[in-house]
Amino acid sequence: MENLAFIIFAIAGLLIVGIFILIIVSVVTTFIRNASSPRLAREARVIGKRLRVSGGTNGSSTYYYATFEFPDGSREEFGVSSQIYGMIAEGDMGTLQSQGTYMGNFNRRV
């Protein structure tokens, strides 16, 4: 019986370590892919904004997103800072600076 408990705890521990390693590899891979992508400055229009709140009442986090449409009709959604989120509105036109899945800035045309 003690051997069975040891095996179960060993498997659970290996599973947790394996998941942790997969998460680290995923984050590093995304960082490398973004860093090796070209920096782009493209004309775009804001077509949507959304936010996601996670966590409970004591420790909640808010994540902000904006969707942009390009002249060729393609669309991309980026995570944005709360400052950018507050400064843009649907329909705004401007220049979007991005690199891979990372959005650098959005310069609105007034």
Side-chain angles (χ1 to χ4, degrees), residues 59-110:
S60 64
S61 297
T62 305
Y63 302 93
Y64 302 91
Y65 300 92
T67 303
F68 297 89
E69 184 175 58
F70 303 100
D72 66 359
S74 65
R75 297 176 176 187
E76 288 184 46
E77 181 179 66
F78 293 94
V80 298
S81 68
S82 60
Q83 291 82 14
I84 291 175
Y85 186 88
M87 295 293 290
I88 62 175
E90 290 184 21
D92 282 354
M93 299 285 293
T95 304
L96 174 71
Q97 299 170 353
S98 65
Q99 184 174 16
T101 60
Y102 171 73
M103 180 188 142
N105 198 7
F106 181 71
N107 298 315
R108 290 186 312 147
R109 262 187 275 135
V110 184

Side-chain angles (χ1 to χ4, degrees), residues 14-84:
L14 288 174
L15 211 75
I16 291 170
V17 169
I19 291 170
F20 185 69
I21 289 172
L22 283 174
I23 291 170
I24 290 173
V25 168
S26 173
V27 168
V28 169
T29 302
T30 301
F31 175 79
I32 291 171
R33 189 178 307 122
N34 282 342
S36 64
S37 295
R39 291 182 183 193
L40 302 174
R42 303 176 282 176
E43 291 300 308
R45 180 170 61 100
V46 179
I47 61 166
K49 292 170 50 174
R50 70 180 179 94
L51 55 90
R52 178 174 60 93
V53 179
S54 67
T57 55
N58 293 335
S60 64
S61 297
T62 305
Y63 302 93
Y64 302 91
Y65 300 92
T67 303
F68 297 89
E69 184 175 58
F70 303 100
D72 66 359
S74 65
R75 297 176 176 187
E76 288 184 46
E77 181 179 66
F78 293 94
V80 298
S81 68
S82 60
Q83 291 82 14
I84 291 175

